[in-house]
């Protein structure tokens, strides 16, 4: 699966877990490696998006404006992130 195919598939999954009217969407990802996480955090900041630990090892919560989700997903994919099957977030808003 190409990065673009991952992003396209994940947008649909994430949309199901977020209300379409919400301005901020969230999703959970697995990312292995401190350097990859740090790079993603820096790149996501430009989109007013955040990536933070989600209480489980290697799991991170992404929060970003719904309008920027596709671009945010591209950044996470580039850093080796993988969408978690369980999208229920642990971290408080």
């Amino acid at each position: 699966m190409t990065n673009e195919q991952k992003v396209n598939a994940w947008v649909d999954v994430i949309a199901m877990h977020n209300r379409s009217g919400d301005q901020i969407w969230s999703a959970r990802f697995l990312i292995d490696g401190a350097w990859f996480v740090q790079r993603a955090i820096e790149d996501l900041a430009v989109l007013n998006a955040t990536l933070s630990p989600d209480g489980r090892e290697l799991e991170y919560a992404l929060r970003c404006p719904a309008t920027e989700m596709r671009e945010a997903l591209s950044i996470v994919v580039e850093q080796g992130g993988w969408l978690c099957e369980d999208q229920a977030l642990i971290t408080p808003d």
Side-chain angles (χ1 to χ4, degrees):
M1 182 181 284
T2 68
N3 286 355
E4 185 176 341
Q5 289 170 323
K6 286 180 192 175
V7 169
N8 290 335
W10 293 354
V11 165
D12 292 338
V13 171
I14 293 167
M16 288 187 335
H17 293 281
N18 290 272
R19 291 182 294 243
S20 60
D22 287 349
Q23 293 181 14
I24 302 296
W25 281 12
S26 62
R28 285 184 55 230
F29 293 90
L30 291 172
I31 304 175
D32 189 7
W35 188 88
F36 296 120
V37 171
Q38 186 57 41
R39 179 65 191 244
I41 289 170
E42 292 170 4
D43 291 348
L44 289 166
V46 174
L47 303 175
N48 292 320
T50 61
L51 186 70
S52 57
D54 192 43
R56 299 176 190 150
E57 187 176 359
L58 306 179
E59 292 186 5
Y60 296 86
L62 169 68
R63 287 184 177 80
C64 75
T67 57
E68 301 292 342
M69 182 55 77
R70 186 171 295 279
E71 184 64 29
L73 289 176
S74 293
I75 291 168
V76 172
V77 168
E78 288 172 10
Q79 298 308 319
W82 198 260
L83 188 67
C84 293
E85 284 187 37
D86 177 10
Q87 286 298 304
L89 298 180
I90 294 171
T91 55
D93 287 18

